[in-house]
Amino acid sequence: MGKAPQSVDGGRETARFGRLAFNHFKDLARDEGLSEHEKIGFPDAFREGYDDAIWDDIVAKLPALSGRGARVLDIGPGCGPLPRKLITLAEANGHTVTLIDHAEMLSQLPTSPTTTPVPGRFPDDLPESSEGYDALICYSVLQVVIMDANPFTFVDAAAALLRPGGRLLVADIPNFSKLRRFLASEAGAAYHRSYMKTDEPPHVPAFAPAVDRIDDGILFGLAMRARNAGFDAFVMPQPTVLPMAGRREDLLIARP
């Protein structure tokens, strides 16, 4: 279920990066004192050394990336290693890639003839296209969306862009219900003590609907909504080697 990095002070980092909304990331991108991981809302210890494992999981869940000539959309890529890996792969495999995010984020990524940066917010600022996409990546973004937008409308708009056989990966979703289950376990209690630098056991929130947080109801509601709209949809686990696998899940939506 992942081990808490020993170098992380959970209380401090939660205060720094907790509950970020879309416009906060413009300021993070401009802050030259932050690392590329911190600019996208993560302590270094939660991404350093994990980028290859994260990327391998993305590619495994989006097989179009391993093929040739795919049309790819990355929603909210930030300025870290993952979009750089995508650009490198696109150059090798002949993919065409669209990246939509704050201009301040996109300006820090390498330019490539395979890649079109679109400054703005999805879906409002994405130019209309009738071509659709074979693979859509939305990694560690849904928890930002829910702070000031409707996650159902957001996922609806993304799924509508899929070509036949295409897949949308809405990944690295913090699930408050999964977190509660995790903290109630022995493994979760050990994680909490390490992460929060305390000898006290975790306080497990009551099992009740969350406010401004994603829980089982929202996550499975998104999956059911996609299925009712004619897509296949699955809630999937993260690899256990990732540091937040005990409290995060992925949503995979495919157009038959």
Side-chain angles (χ1 to χ4, degrees), residues 97-166:
V97 174
T98 300
L99 308 174
I100 181 167
D101 206 332
H102 286 297
E104 291 80 0
M105 289 286 185
L106 299 175
S107 66
Q108 298 179 49
L109 295 174
T111 59
S112 169
T114 68
T115 303
T116 301
V118 177
R121 182 171 188 167
F122 181 84
D124 300 337
D125 298 314
L126 185 70
E128 289 188 14
S129 172
S130 60
E131 296 184 72
Y133 297 93
D134 303 293
L136 279 78
I137 305 169
C138 184
Y139 201 90
S140 204
V141 168
L142 197 63
Q143 65 269 30
V144 178
V145 172
I146 200 172
M147 296 305 298
D148 57 10
N150 186 322
F152 291 92
T153 301
F154 178 91
V155 174
D156 286 350
L161 297 174
L162 286 173
R163 285 174 159 181

Side-chain angles (χ1 to χ4, degrees), residues 95-240:
H95 301 325
T96 57
V97 174
T98 300
L99 308 174
I100 181 167
D101 206 332
H102 286 297
E104 291 80 0
M105 289 286 185
L106 299 175
S107 66
Q108 298 179 49
L109 295 174
T111 59
S112 169
T114 68
T115 303
T116 301
V118 177
R121 182 171 188 167
F122 181 84
D124 300 337
D125 298 314
L126 185 70
E128 289 188 14
S129 172
S130 60
E131 296 184 72
Y133 297 93
D134 303 293
L136 279 78
I137 305 169
C138 184
Y139 201 90
S140 204
V141 168
L142 197 63
Q143 65 269 30
V144 178
V145 172
I146 200 172
M147 296 305 298
D148 57 10
N150 186 322
F152 291 92
T153 301
F154 178 91
V155 174
D156 286 350
L161 297 174
L162 286 173
R163 285 174 159 181
R167 292 186 176 189
L168 160 65
L169 181 63
V170 185
D172 202 38
I173 303 170
N175 181 348
F176 191 48
S177 302
K178 184 173 176 62
L179 172 62
R180 287 181 288 200
R181 291 190 293 272
F182 183 51
L183 291 177
S185 71
E186 291 184 7
Y191 186 106
H192 168 82
R193 288 191 290 269
S194 174
Y195 181 60
M196 298 302 292
K197 310 299 182 188
T198 180
D199 293 326
E200 297 296 320
H203 167 69
V204 181
F207 284 86
V211 177
D212 295 332
R213 300 181 74 167
I214 299 163
D215 62 4
D216 281 344
I218 291 176
L219 185 54
F220 283 90
L222 288 166
M224 288 301 300
R225 184 179 177 93
R227 290 186 173 202
N228 289 336
F231 299 92
D232 293 324
F234 311 91
V235 176
M236 303 184 71
Q238 289 193 332
T240 57

Side-chain angles (χ1 to χ4, degrees), residues 10-129:
R12 176 175 179 271
E13 300 301 351
T14 298
R16 290 178 71 202
F17 299 117
R19 305 181 72 74
L20 294 170
F22 178 72
N23 283 332
H24 291 137
F25 286 89
K26 181 183 295 187
D27 295 330
L28 293 180
R30 291 169 172 165
D31 191 336
E32 296 182 358
L34 298 180
S35 70
E36 61 182 12
H37 298 303
E38 291 173 322
K39 288 181 178 182
I40 59 174
F42 287 97
D44 285 328
F46 275 113
R47 282 297 180 92
E48 288 287 352
Y50 293 106
D51 295 311
D52 286 344
I54 293 171
W55 180 245
D56 288 346
D57 186 47
I58 291 172
V59 173
K61 290 170 177 171
L62 295 175
L65 296 178
S66 298
R68 295 196 59 82
R71 284 179 51 81
V72 184
L73 172 63
D74 194 335
I75 302 169
C79 59
L82 296 182
R84 298 172 193 275
K85 289 178 180 292
L86 176 59
I87 293 169
T88 298
L89 181 67
E91 292 173 345
N93 288 13
H95 301 325
T96 57
V97 174
T98 300
L99 308 174
I100 181 167
D101 206 332
H102 286 297
E104 291 80 0
M105 289 286 185
L106 299 175
S107 66
Q108 298 179 49
L109 295 174
T111 59
S112 169
T114 68
T115 303
T116 301
V118 177
R121 182 171 188 167
F122 181 84
D124 300 337
D125 298 314
L126 185 70
E128 289 188 14
S129 172

